[in-house]
Amino acid sequence: MSDWYDAPVSLLHGVGEERAKAFAGIGIDSVGKLLEYFPSRYEDYRVRDLTEVKDGERVTLAGTVYGEPSVRFYGKRKSRLSVKLVMDRVVVTAVWFNQTFVKNKLTPGKEILVTGKWDKHKLQITVSEMTEVDSERAQKRGELAPIYPLGGDMTHALLRKAIQQGLRQYGEQIPEILPPEIVSRYRLMDRPAAIRAIHFPRDAEEGRQARRRIMFEELFLFQLKMQALRRIAREQTEGVALPIPMEEVRTFVRGLPFPLTDAQKRVIKEILTDMRAPYAMNRLLQGDVGSGKTVVAAIALYAAVKAGYQGALMVPTEILAEQHVQSLTALLAPHGIQVSLLSGSLTAKRRREVIGELQMGLTDVVVGTHALIQEDVFFSRLGLVITDEQHRFGVEQRRILRSKGLAPDVLFMTATPIPRTLAITAFGDMDVSTIDQMPAGRKPIETTWKKHEQFHQVLEHMRTELRKGRQAYVICPLIEESEKLDVQNAIDVHAQLMQVFPEYGVGLMHGRLPAKEKDAVMQAFLSGEYAVLVSTTVVEVGVNVPNATFMVVYDAERFGLAQLHQLRGRVGRGSEQSYCVLIADPKTEIGKERMRVMCETTDGFELSRRDLELRGPGDFFGTKQSGLPEFKVADLMSDFKALEVARQETAELVEKDEFWTDAAYLRLRQYLKREGILDGLVFD
């Protein structure tokens, strides 16, 4: 970075080596980091007129000490100090609790500023802060004071003073980084002025404009990284333009046993356009439970095979792999396309046969689990890789599968609807296609919320469905009893339901079962041997049992909206009316709101938006694997429009040849290089 940014904070007048340790405690070791340590909010120290102040409001008032202060002691070590102040010809009482040391500063005739809570009826202010007008802190008068996140030995006084000194010594060296046309187009404050104003705004409007500039810069630079990554990846991976016979694809689509929705048609067009382009596709396909992602995958696989290439579909579980093989075979086999299964449960002989057929090009499409990425698996001509429930696979696993071919097209699929805000942030280096429409004729799942004491009613409703020959899921948050959490557990509920429904088979499944036992339990439920399946959330993804029409979720308040929606999606997969009952006694308003929202809508995208509002971005994905950046100023919810604009501007910018060569964009290229995006490239 430039000299000003990397200059040690100890070089600032008034800081030195010893105080620099306090700055290191909050992650500041350079002037650049100091000046970009932005306030989280402001305290309003602007002096107000008494006629403007509302009762109970926090306010700063200017007054002159009138008369001697008095102290009254009460209780153990408690005190009340009061003094009269004259303000605008009005006498008010200023009160301090347990701060007798202030008395010596309250000499008659002294002008002071007091900040605290105003009691309009008593004409009294309970003081939290006092400033002597003739002191060094008199600068606070009329000011919005920045409030920062602190830690260790750091104080606001030390931090503010150092920032002021940093601006005095290095403020003239702060460069503009955004292109002039961007600054002009969006009427942004210039960067040096914005950094100065966000710390010490002259008024609220200047503070808003400074925040707006820095917020946009954060989002712009983040999106620039994402868009640069996309272009570089596209150009460095010499993909193959698949010669897809479009008329054959249209004939295949016309022959499907159901019409496609407009949303399916739109995403298919996006995917086939990528596949026909001379670079490797890197696309995320997201769609709600039951929105028809599988048929989209089938059309893409059909197109790849008809272009002379093989396709691979990787899924997280063997049951899911077997279901995909059945559905894809039904769609593709009539057109002469060979679909095979490759999973860990195959016999050694069958596994060798499948691998041999792949290598010789006799198998067109292979569906499998992690078995697809084992070292001895090779393809004859791999052209398309699809991963279902992409968040279940790590980056390295996806990379290995891609390496099985020469830069094949890659399509990631997920049934977890992601709000657009997060999709273009967490998956900004991918193109995103969204199926936001459900097939016609699908009946919405009726969702109700019951308290634990109403469970007997729920069991009667379940019995009604079982008598019709239907099946039911009962979902529990824990496997076995826990002393710490008073929540229903799968083992106890299984034992209870075996007594309630002795005439029906009741299965039990949870994450601690070995994979083979899980598969056996699920197969028994699929075949109808079990009418009821008690399970933890391992049934959340992918399993398709059309005969299951009833679901109970115990202690539903322990789940986020997105997860509840995924669980609910295990029913309603057939033509019969399905039901989901949430058993919950939420203690918080947010918990109650989640239950209400679940009962109001079955739209996964609306639920994900509400979930984001209730929980925040980090909790939406789970903090550890979220992949979301931590912005200093920008907020993904309130600044969504700016995020969209930044994405559009940077996407257009990186496609311009002059961006990579012209001096006007040198600082942005240097930024990308510092971030490791342009490793190995040199700029003058």
Side-chain angles (χ1 to χ4, degrees):
M1 275 197 175
S2 58
D3 292 342
W4 78 273
Y5 193 97
D6 289 326
V9 73
S10 58
L11 293 182
L12 294 176
H13 300 311
V15 176
E17 296 293 341
E18 194 58 37
R19 280 184 171 172
K21 294 176 183 176
F23 286 93
I26 56 172
I28 296 174
D29 57 11
S30 71
V31 171
K33 289 181 182 177
L34 172 69
L35 296 187
E36 292 183 2
Y37 195 80
F38 300 126
S40 55
R41 60 186 177 87
Y42 302 91
E43 290 285 11
D44 190 349
Y45 289 101
R46 291 173 296 178
V47 175
R48 305 270 296 282
D49 189 291
L50 282 178
T51 58
E52 302 172 352
V53 184
K54 297 176 182 176
D55 185 50
E57 196 175 354
R58 189 181 186 280
V59 67
T60 296
L61 301 173
T64 304
V65 176
Y66 178 74
E68 294 291 337
S70 65
V71 179
R72 183 165 59 85
F73 294 94
Y74 59 99
K76 288 186 177 180
R77 300 179 183 176
K78 291 184 179 180
S79 65
R80 182 182 187 274
L81 166 65
S82 63
V83 72
K84 300 293 184 184
L85 300 177
V86 177
M87 301 178 179
D88 298 328
R89 298 180 184 177
V90 177
V91 177
V92 304
T93 304
V95 176
W96 289 257
F97 287 99
N98 307 317
Q99 297 183 60
T100 53
F101 61 87
V102 176
K103 180 180 179 182
N104 296 331
K105 299 178 181 180
L106 300 175
T107 55
K110 178 177 281 189
E111 189 181 354
I112 62 173
L113 301 178
V114 287
T115 301
K117 186 177 179 181
W118 175 243
D119 186 328
K120 187 174 183 178
H121 307 292
K122 294 181 181 178
L123 291 180
Q124 175 179 299
I125 182 169
T126 302
V127 182
S128 58
E129 268 190 81
M130 182 187 87
T131 305
E132 299 174 51
V133 171
D134 59 352
S135 73
E136 289 181 11
R137 295 175 67 210
Q139 59 178 334
K140 270 191 177 181
R141 183 168 187 163
E143 171 181 294
L144 288 168
I147 303 298
Y148 301 88
L150 299 180
D153 298 326
M154 184 52 64
T155 65
H156 274 110
L158 178 57
L159 188 56
R160 288 173 187 151
K161 190 173 181 181
I163 290 170
Q164 286 177 325
Q165 188 60 39
L167 288 168
R168 275 195 289 269
Q169 287 182 228
Y170 295 95
E172 298 298 320
Q173 299 180 40
I174 298 173
E176 179 58 77
I177 190 170
L178 294 182
E181 65 269 25
I182 296 293
V183 175
S184 173
R185 187 177 302 145
Y186 298 106
R187 298 175 183 172
L188 300 173
M189 188 181 281
D190 69 73
R191 191 165 193 263
I195 288 179
R196 186 180 299 275
I198 199 168
H199 290 294
F200 305 110
R202 283 186 292 241
D203 51 44
E205 179 58 25
E206 186 179 60
R208 275 193 292 272
Q209 290 302 324
R211 184 203 174 276
R212 178 173 173 267
R213 154 66 206 230
I214 290 168
M215 169 274 293
F216 186 82
E217 179 183 301
E218 280 194 296
L219 297 176
F220 185 92
L221 293 177
F222 173 73
Q223 285 298 329
L224 184 70
K225 286 194 293 186
M226 294 292 101
Q227 302 309 318
L229 278 171
R230 285 177 64 198
R231 176 165 178 177
I232 292 165
R234 192 172 71 214
E235 294 188 351
Q236 287 182 349
T237 54
E238 296 181 7
V240 179
L242 271 59
I244 297 171
M246 293 302 294
E247 195 48 51
E248 286 190 53
V249 175
R250 292 186 190 99
T251 302
F252 174 72
V253 171
R254 283 194 292 267
L256 292 171
F258 41 79
L260 297 179
T261 63
D262 289 342
Q264 285 174 313
K265 292 174 184 175
R266 184 184 68 246
V267 302
I268 288 165
K269 183 179 179 182
E270 293 168 350
I271 291 164
L272 295 182
T273 299
D274 276 1
M275 291 171 66
R276 297 169 74 193
Y279 52 81
M281 175 170 70
N282 185 33
R283 186 170 287 276
L284 172 71
L285 172 62
Q286 60 165 346
D288 210 342
V289 175
S291 62
K293 293 183 300 299
T294 303
V295 73
V296 171
I299 293 167
L301 290 166
Y302 176 89
V305 173
K306 290 301 177 180
Y309 288 81
Q310 294 168 299
L313 172 59
M314 185 162 74
V315 298
T317 67
E318 290 205 7
I319 290 176
L320 202 50
E322 289 167 6
Q323 289 185 341
H324 275 306
V325 167
Q326 290 173 10
S327 58
L328 288 175
T329 299
L331 292 170
L332 301 177
H335 299 272
I337 294 176
Q338 173 66 40
V339 182
S340 294
L341 171 69
L342 184 59
S343 66
S345 62
L346 295 182
T347 64
K349 180 184 177 184
R350 178 55 188 153
R351 186 174 183 279
R352 284 194 301 271
E353 289 174 355
V354 173
I355 291 174
E357 290 166 357
L358 275 176
Q359 291 172 348
M360 290 184 287
L362 300 176
T363 290
D364 302 306
V365 173
V366 64
V367 182
T369 55
H370 295 80
L372 285 178
I373 61 175
Q374 291 178 357
E375 287 185 12
D376 59 345
V377 178
F378 297 98
F379 291 78
S380 169
R381 206 177 184 205
L382 181 61
L384 175 64
V385 172
I386 302 176
T387 64
D388 194 15
E389 291 309 324
Q390 61 87 26
H391 61 281
R392 294 295 181 98
F393 297 106
V395 174
E396 183 63 13
Q397 292 167 320
R398 299 199 298 262
R399 186 198 65 77
I400 293 171
L401 185 54
R402 287 184 82 155
S403 70
K404 298 289 183 179
L406 293 172
D409 289 320
V410 179
L411 180 67
F412 305 102
M413 299 200 304
T414 179
T416 304
I418 304 162
R420 183 167 171 76
T421 317
L422 298 190
I424 67 176
T425 306
F427 304 109
D429 59 331
M430 296 184 194
D431 295 298
V432 179
S433 290
T434 302
I435 305 178
D436 51 7
Q437 184 181 8
M438 298 297 281
R442 187 178 283 268
K443 294 179 181 177
I445 300 164
E446 289 186 15
T447 305
T448 53
W449 167 24
K450 300 289 185 183
K451 302 292 181 70
H452 281 89
E453 58 266 27
Q454 298 172 295
F455 189 49
H456 63 283
Q457 299 174 14
V458 179
L459 290 178
E460 286 308 306
H461 190 176
M462 188 190 300
R463 190 183 298 277
T464 301
E465 288 298 298
L466 296 179
R467 282 175 179 158
K468 295 177 186 175
R470 314 281 180 242
Q471 290 169 279
Y473 292 98
V474 180
I475 307 298
C476 304
L478 292 179
I479 297 171
E480 54 197 24
E481 190 173 354
S482 164
E483 293 179 5
K484 294 182 180 178
L485 294 169
D486 182 22
V487 291
Q488 291 293 336
N489 62 79
I491 291 172
D492 283 355
V493 171
H494 176 249
Q496 179 186 356
L497 293 184
M498 285 180 71
Q499 293 182 333
V500 174
F501 301 118
E503 69 272 37
Y504 298 107
V506 182
L508 172 65
M509 188 164 75
H510 55 74
R512 287 190 194 164
L513 289 178
K516 286 187 177 179
E517 285 187 43
K518 278 188 209 168
D519 287 349
V521 172
M522 204 64 231
Q523 288 293 353
F525 189 57
L526 270 166
S527 66
E529 182 181 336
Y530 293 138
V532 180
L533 180 63
V534 179
S535 175
T536 55
T537 56
V538 290
V539 299
E540 181 183 340
V541 173
V543 178
N544 187 23
V545 185
N547 192 46
T549 60
F550 199 85
M551 172 171 283
V552 179
V553 183
Y554 257 115
D555 299 298
E557 71 271 22
R558 289 180 49 78
F559 301 99
L561 286 175
Q563 192 175 27
L564 285 173
H565 183 60
Q566 286 291 304
L567 290 166
R568 177 168 62 183
R570 295 310 102 218
V571 297
R573 304 177 80 85
S575 58
E576 302 298 327
Q577 179 62 55
S578 290
Y579 307 89
C580 177
V581 184
L582 308 172
I583 308 290
D585 288 308
K587 302 294 187 290
T588 66
E589 278 306 311
I590 288 181
K592 293 172 185 174
E593 181 63 15
R594 279 199 196 123
M595 297 305 105
R596 286 192 287 266
V597 170
M598 278 296 296
C599 295
E600 287 169 7
T601 181
T602 56
D603 182 336
F605 288 95
E606 173 62 17
L607 281 168
S608 68
R609 186 186 67 79
R610 298 289 292 274
D611 206 15
L612 180 61
E613 288 176 359
L614 290 170
R615 296 202 290 161
D619 288 338
F620 184 88
F621 281 119
T623 305
K624 290 184 179 176
Q625 79 272 16
S626 71
L628 293 174
E630 288 191 11
F631 297 116
K632 296 175 184 175
V633 173
D635 176 80
L636 287 178
M637 291 298 294
S638 60
D639 300 322
F640 172 58
K641 288 183 179 177
L643 178 67
E644 290 268 26
V645 170
R647 184 171 191 258
Q648 182 180 341
E649 289 285 358
T650 54
E652 292 175 5
L653 189 59
V654 300
E655 293 302 322
K656 296 178 181 176
D657 290 338
E658 58 264 33
F659 172 76
W660 305 95
T661 56
D662 283 12
Y665 302 108
L666 177 61
R667 291 198 188 280
L668 289 178
R669 295 196 300 272
Q670 288 173 334
Y671 168 77
L672 291 175
K673 190 168 178 61
R674 284 198 304 270
E675 294 294 307
I677 308 296
L678 307 179
D679 284 346
L681 298 179
V682 177
F683 296 109
D684 298 325

